[in-house]
C-alpha cells in the first residue's frame, strides 16, 4: 500500500509523504517542497487532494486554499506561444 | 490490423467504419480510424506505454484520459508535451514517446541542512565558512 504512487509526475510514493510528514510534522506545503509531490508537470492537479488527505491524517492539517498547496492559474500548463506571439522559436 | 479494438459492443453496437488514418509512432507506422485520439489509436494496437517518467524511467501511459493529468503527454510533430488523449490523429502525424532525461546532481545531505534561518544561525555557522 505504501508503494502507491501519489504524485505520478514526480514519482512520490505514499511512504515518502507519510515519512516526511511524520519526521517534520510539517504543513502540506512543506511536504510539497521537500518531496516535490505536486510540483510536476500537471501542477499538482492530480495528486493535491491525495497529499492533503495524507497530511490531514498525519498532522490533522485541514486542506485550505490560502497557503497550503493553493491552486494558481493557469488552469492547465500552456506554452508561452499560447499566451502571446504567433511564431514558434525553438 | 488491430486486435484490441472493440468492433461490436454489447451496448454501443457495431463500430461504424470510418476513414483510415496512418501515423507514425516512434518510427513505426500505425493505422487508426478518423476520430481516434493518438492514445486510443495506440491502445487499439496494444501500445500502453506512451512515455517514461523522466527521472526513473518507469513506464507511463493513459491515466485519466480526459486531458486532466498530462500522464499521456507525447511529442507530436516536434511539439513537446502534447496530450495524446486529447489529440485526434491526422495523416502522417509524427508521434514520439517521452524519454528518460538526464538527472541533475542531488544533495545527499538535505536532512542535515538547516530548515530555518534561526536553525542556521544556531547550528551551522562556522567562522571559516566562505559562504557566510
Amino acid at each position: 500500500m505504501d508503494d502507491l504512487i501519489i504524485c505520478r509526475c514526480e514519482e512520490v510514493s505514499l511512504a515518502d509523504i507519510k515519512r516526511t510528514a511524520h519526521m517534520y510534522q510539517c504543513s502540506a506545503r512543506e511536504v510539497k517542497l521537500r518531496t516535490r509531490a505536486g510540483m510536476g508537470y500537471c501542477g499538482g492537479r492530480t495528486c493535491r487532494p491525495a497529499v492533503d488527505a495524507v497530511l490531514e491524517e498525519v498532522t490533522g492539517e485541514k486542506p485550505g486554499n490560502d497557503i497550503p498547496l493553493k491552486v494558481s492559474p493557469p488552469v492547465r500548463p500552456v506554452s508561452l506561444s499560447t499566451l502571446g506571439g504567433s511564431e514558434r522559436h525553438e | 490490423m488491430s486486435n484490441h479494438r472493440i468492433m461490436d459492443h454489447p451496448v454501443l453496437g457495431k463500430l461504424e467504419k470510418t476513414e483510415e488514418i496512418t501515423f507514425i509512432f516512434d518510427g513505426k507506422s500505425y493505422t487508426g480510424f478518423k476520430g481516434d485520439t493518438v492514445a486510443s489509436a495506440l491502445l487499439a494496437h496494444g501500445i500502453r506505454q506512451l512515455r517514461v517518467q523522466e527521472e526513473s524511467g518507469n513506464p507511463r501511459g493513459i491515466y485519466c484520459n480526459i486531458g486532466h493529468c498530462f500522464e499521456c503527454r507525447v511529442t507530436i510533430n516536434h511539439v513537446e508535451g502534447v496530450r495524446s488523449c486529447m489529440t485526434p490523429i491526422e495523416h502522417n502525424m509524427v508521434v514520439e514517446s517521452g524519454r528518460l532525461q538526464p538527472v541533475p546532481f542531488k544533495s545527499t545531505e538535505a536532512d542535515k541542512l538547516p530548515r530555518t534561518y534561526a536553525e542556521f544561525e544556531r547550528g551551522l555557522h562556522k567562522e571559516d565558512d566562505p559562504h557566510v
Side-chain angles (χ1 to χ4, degrees), chain A residues 70-90:
Chain A
K70 70 187 171 85
V71 180
S72 306
V75 175
R76 302 216 187 290
V78 291
S79 76
L80 286 175
S81 64
T82 311
L83 300 176
S86 53
E87 286 180 41
R88 285 189 73 79
H89 300 286
E90 301 290 335

Side-chain angles (χ1 to χ4, degrees), chain B residues 19-49:
Chain B
E19 189 191 344
E20 285 194 358
I21 291 177
T22 306
F23 65 101
I24 296 178
F25 177 69
D26 280 352
K28 277 180 75 180
S29 184
Y30 294 93
T31 311
F33 292 115
K34 192 175 169 107
D36 260 339
T37 62
V38 173
S40 73
L42 288 170
L43 186 62
H45 285 278
I47 295 173
R48 297 173 62 206
Q49 180 180 327

Side-chain angles (χ1 to χ4, degrees), chain A:
Chain A
M1 176 67 183
D2 277 0
D3 294 340
L4 197 75
I5 295 178
I6 298 289
C7 173
R8 299 178 64 79
C9 301
E10 294 288 334
E11 202 159 274
V12 183
S13 69
L14 178 59
D16 293 331
I17 292 174
K18 274 188 177 166
R19 193 186 327 112
T20 309
H22 275 297
M23 190 185 289
Y24 298 103
Q25 288 296 314
C26 55
S27 65
R29 181 170 163 75
E30 189 172 330
V31 167
K32 165 179 154 175
L33 296 174
R34 285 186 176 279
T35 63
R36 290 198 60 81
M39 293 182 81
Y41 200 98
C42 81
R45 275 167 205 85
T46 315
C47 68
R48 194 176 71 102
V51 175
D52 274 338
V54 176
L55 259 289
E56 197 174 348
E57 191 188 303
V58 175
T59 67
E61 179 186 310
K62 290 268 184 290
N65 202 33
D66 36 349
I67 295 172
L69 302 186
K70 70 187 171 85
V71 180
S72 306
V75 175
R76 302 216 187 290
V78 291
S79 76
L80 286 175
S81 64
T82 311
L83 300 176
S86 53
E87 286 180 41
R88 285 189 73 79
H89 300 286
E90 301 290 335

Side-chain angles (χ1 to χ4, degrees), chain B residues 18-84:
Chain B
T18 51
E19 189 191 344
E20 285 194 358
I21 291 177
T22 306
F23 65 101
I24 296 178
F25 177 69
D26 280 352
K28 277 180 75 180
S29 184
Y30 294 93
T31 311
F33 292 115
K34 192 175 169 107
D36 260 339
T37 62
V38 173
S40 73
L42 288 170
L43 186 62
H45 285 278
I47 295 173
R48 297 173 62 206
Q49 180 180 327
L50 301 171
R51 49 176 274 264
V52 295
Q53 210 273 345
E54 294 85 346
E55 186 177 341
S56 68
N58 288 333
R60 292 287 192 271
I62 295 174
Y63 184 58
C64 77
N65 203 32
I66 52 171
H68 180 75
C69 71
F70 283 80
E71 279 295 292
C72 65
R73 60 183 185 267
V74 290
T75 302
I76 294 182
N77 295 337
H78 304 295
V79 181
E80 286 178 16
V82 182
R83 290 167 290 175
S84 62

